Amino acid sequence: MENRVIIGGQWGDEGKGKVIDALGEGYDWVIRYQGGANAGHTIQVGAREHVLHLVPSGIFREAVRCYLGNGMVIDPWALRDEILALEEQGVRVRNRLHVSSAAQLLMPYHKRFDELREIQRKRKSIGTTGRGIGPAYQDKLARAGLRFGDLTAPLEKLERAAIEHILEANEVLAKTFDAEPLPAKVLAEELVVLAQSLRPLIVDGYSALRGVREGRESALFEGAQGTLLDIDHGTYPFVTSSNSTVGGALTGTGLPARCLGEVVGVFKAYCTRVGNGPFPTELRAEEGEQLRTLGREYGATTGRPRRCGWFDLVAGRYAVGVNGLVGLVITKLDVLDALPVVKVAEAYDLDGERRDDFPIRPDESCRVRPVLKELPGWEKPLGKCRRLADLPANARKYLEYLERSLGVLVVGISVGKSREQMVMTPTGVTA
Ligand code: GDP
Ligand code: IMO
Ligand code: MG
């Protein structure tokens, strides 16, 4: 098996979970390396739909082991709940899921800070998922946080450390936000109980991934969020707090670059964004509503309606360049089935000037207007297509156009939610 990194090419929710599940068979590992429970990865297996926030999307493949890397910020309460929910549905998790001892512990006060800071930002709010991600990474970089390895300390020591951290956070809650304190003793006791159930999962990352490092074991790396939400390369400040571009897979696992293999980008056949910030091809009013209804575009984590727009080649080329993508998987092509015309942004117009490169400065990216090209729709259902030849000519033309314009092979096409609704095209879609 060739190792692969699967990266979101747009603003998240591209269907990474579905793609990882579909490609995951045969891999030794599926590895998450950044972000936390802000992710919502939906996987449909048989008639059942699962939404994963922390557990890697390889969990539905019995023979795959799953790993949460040091680059993640993990809420142990959320992790426990997710494991229990999976086990209740008969999915074996124990002995298959491993967590790096260097992963950051996301505590209840991080979530509280996340909410309060959003309120404080008022009209400038980011529209975070409220999962505590920014504050947890803040503590990590300030070298002030707890890590998963701390859960293996003697229980009294862990309880004392937790109380100390919560009391410190309570001071900030009172002084900065005039907010109620969190119950330190109760939460610390809960953490002690959680520690005992999560301990068996905690591993030393260097040893656990030795087989991958030495090339004896294969790995599929599961990106969360998307390229334009990257803390460094996204539409800052309307971004998440981790590197969702390919670099995150290195720092978030401690594996060397040669272990990553091919970098593949997942793109919706159109675009969506949840939360605030620039979105050049966004459609308003009825047109946006139409795509939202057709694609059932509501957040997998927060249930918020996703903003919808046409495929954006400018942002797409940027994602190809930043991540070094060598393959594209286009998802949700079936969502466009009924449309007589499909549009794509070929370039931007910034104050009357044509721009072919994504403007990373926020004052520019929020002012650009898309230069749209129209392509004829196919007006036929794609859900049953399994080979490229099954696709109607106009659907193939649309994919060929994306492939040519992005300069990267389309290696897979998703035409529905379920595992089977995939068309694999390893040599691309252009005849
Ligand atoms: P992720 O965060 O990138 O894993 O994506 P999400 O799970 O948040 O959002 C993708 C949504 O689209 C989920 O509801 C998926 O079940 C659904 N989905 C994925 N691929 C397809 C597809 O090809 N067609 C349709 N109609 N839905 C899809
Ligand atoms: P997956 O992995 C879509 C967005 C939030 C907000 C911004 C910052 O399912 O693709 P955060 O809570 O991370 O501080 O929020 O990032 N966001 C996502 N949008 N999909 C996601 O994950 C996201 N994770 C965060 O909506 O705009
Ligand atoms: Mg999602």
Side-chain angles (χ1 to χ4, degrees):
M1 299 293 286
E2 163 108 42
N3 288 2
R4 277 179 163 182
V5 189
I6 307 294
I7 299 272
Q10 297 158 325
W11 281 274
D13 301 330
E14 298 89 349
K16 299 174 292 293
K18 147 134 201 202
V19 171
I20 298 269
D21 173 68
L23 300 181
E25 197 173 16
Y27 278 96
D28 294 309
W29 292 94
V30 173
I31 297 177
R32 266 203 59 191
Y33 50 85
Q34 43 76 227
N38 49 348
H41 295 177
T42 315
I43 293 126
Q44 188 163 317
V45 186
R48 223 183 201 140
E49 185 167 289
H50 307 264
V51 180
L52 299 175
H53 301 286
L54 291 163
V55 175
S57 303
I59 201 73
F60 303 105
R61 302 279 183 188
E62 264 286 334
V64 171
R65 272 177 290 164
C66 292
Y67 183 78
L68 304 180
N70 60 277
M72 292 185 71
V73 288
I74 305 172
D75 174 343
W77 282 264
L79 182 59
R80 177 209 45 201
D81 292 349
E82 202 167 312
I83 293 172
L84 287 177
L86 285 166
E87 285 177 343
E88 262 169 34
Q89 290 160 9
V91 181
R92 193 167 65 82
V93 180
R94 299 273 156 182
N95 301 320
R96 292 182 55 212
L97 176 65
H98 309 275
V99 185
S100 164
S101 62
Q104 207 69 17
L105 265 190
L106 188 147
M107 296 286 285
Y109 50 81
H110 292 127
K111 290 208 279 196
R112 197 76 189 102
F113 288 143
D114 194 2
E115 286 161 25
L116 292 165
R117 280 187 194 136
E118 281 287 271
I119 295 168
Q120 209 175 37
R121 287 185 192 113
K122 296 197 179 108
R123 277 183 30 248
K124 290 182 181 156
S125 76
I126 294 166
T128 71
T129 58
R131 296 297 188 271
I133 305 300
Y137 278 114
Q138 238 177 319
D139 269 356
K140 170 176 175 167
L141 294 195
R143 297 156 293 183
L146 293 164
R147 310 213 289 187
F148 257 71
D150 293 319
L151 296 181
T152 62
L155 296 177
E156 313 79 65
K157 189 171 168 211
L158 170 64
E159 186 172 341
R160 270 201 311 279
I163 289 182
E164 214 172 280
H165 278 81
I166 300 166
L167 289 179
E168 241 173 66
N170 279 347
E171 257 181 61
V172 183
L173 284 173
K175 282 193 189 139
T176 311
F177 298 102
D178 196 19
E180 293 292 312
L182 294 170
K185 180 84 177 139
V186 174
L187 292 175
E189 280 171 4
E190 282 181 25
L191 189 66
V192 164
V193 175
L194 283 170
Q196 295 168 81
S197 78
L198 293 176
R199 271 174 180 180
L201 280 61
I202 302 172
V203 292
D204 170 82
Y206 188 82
S207 321
L209 298 182
R210 191 182 300 278
V212 179
R213 180 175 294 101
E214 294 175 358
R216 285 180 284 107
E217 291 171 352
S218 57
L220 191 58
F221 297 85
E222 175 175 358
Q225 291 79 53
T227 298
L228 278 309
L229 289 174
D230 183 280
I231 181 75
D232 287 284
H233 308 293
T235 52
Y236 190 90
F238 300 101
V239 291
T240 191
S241 294
S242 66
N243 283 115
S244 45
T245 55
V246 65
L250 292 174
T251 55
T253 59
L255 286 167
R258 70 178 150 73
C259 291
L260 299 191
E262 293 191 336
V263 188
V264 172
V266 182
F267 294 77
K268 265 181 208 174
Y270 49 99
C271 274
T272 62
R273 174 165 202 167
V274 224
N276 301 327
F279 182 5
T281 62
E282 181 168 18
L283 290 166
R284 316 267 170 178
E286 293 97 66
E287 275 188 305
E289 192 55 50
Q290 187 188 21
L291 270 185
R292 186 173 308 118
T293 307
L294 290 171
R296 300 209 183 94
E297 294 295 354
Y298 295 88
T301 298
T302 58
R304 291 178 290 176
R306 294 176 182 148
R307 299 155 66 193
C308 296
W310 297 118
F311 195 97
D312 185 336
L313 283 173
V314 186
R317 283 192 295 265
Y318 179 71
V320 168
V322 166
N323 296 299
L325 301 181
V326 299
L328 312 173
V329 176
I330 306 294
T331 62
K332 303 191 91 161
L333 191 62
D334 57 298
V335 171
L336 307 180
D337 282 354
L339 305 184
V341 171
V342 179
K343 297 182 198 174
V344 175
E346 288 198 305
Y348 295 154
D349 179 305
L350 180 66
D351 307 329
E353 249 179 62
R354 185 184 160 104
R355 291 287 288 256
D356 292 300
D357 283 340
F358 192 85
I360 206 58
R361 287 177 45 168
D363 55 321
E364 294 185 343
S365 56
C366 65
R367 285 205 333 274
V368 294
R369 309 235 152 268
V371 178
L372 293 172
K373 179 184 168 79
E374 293 192 2
L375 292 103
W378 42 95
E379 300 181 89
K380 290 193 182 73
L382 302 186
K384 293 207 167 73
C385 298
R386 296 293 176 271
R387 295 169 313 146
L388 189 58
D390 299 339
L391 294 173
N394 282 351
R396 286 210 303 273
K397 278 186 194 148
Y398 181 60
L399 294 166
E400 281 174 21
Y401 171 71
L402 295 183
E403 182 171 89
R404 202 169 48 245
S405 307
L406 292 172
V408 179
L409 295 184
V410 172
V411 296
I413 305 147
S414 174
V415 293
K417 280 170 163 269
S418 81
R419 213 182 238 184
E420 295 75 30
Q421 288 177 299
M422 282 289 284
V423 178
M424 298 314 293
T425 52
T427 54
V429 294
T430 306

